Amino acid sequence: MRLTDDKITHMTHIVLKGLMDKGFITLKEDDALLRREIKRTIINELKIGEDIDEAVRRKLRSLSKKLVEGSPEWDVLYKKYYEEEEVKRGKR
């Protein structure tokens, strides 16, 4: 799933507010630097998800039995391969 820059910025504000409301952080100065770091982290995580998705789809296309995307068998294998790829990349 691709998110617009505005949506990611909005998520950044929600995450920052949540961290402050829960008392995990207290800001002493401008929050711009922290918001930029949160945004960078969100973008990096989204990129990793896209890379995993691409690797899984490539693996599914390489199977000798051609599966129809969205079929129950395709969905089961997609989930299985996605989890395997996450483990391989240290995301689980």
Side-chain angles (χ1 to χ4, degrees), residues 17-74:
K17 183 178 181 327
L19 291 171
M20 291 181 358
D21 289 350
K22 300 249 184 216
F24 292 125
I25 59 170
T26 303
L27 295 178
K28 296 179 180 173
E29 295 182 27
D30 184 23
D31 62 355
L33 182 63
L34 185 53
R35 280 189 286 111
R36 276 197 300 271
E37 187 61 28
I38 293 170
K39 187 173 185 176
R40 188 186 63 76
T41 301
I42 291 171
I43 290 169
N44 286 343
E45 289 297 318
L46 290 171
K47 175 71 173 113
I48 291 168
E50 289 174 2
D51 290 348
I52 291 173
D53 176 75
E54 187 176 311
V56 169
R57 288 176 184 275
R58 193 172 35 251
K59 188 172 184 175
L60 285 167
R61 283 192 302 268
S62 71
L63 297 175
S64 59
K65 180 180 180 183
K66 298 303 172 198
L67 302 173
V68 176
E69 183 173 345
S71 67
E73 188 176 4
W74 189 93

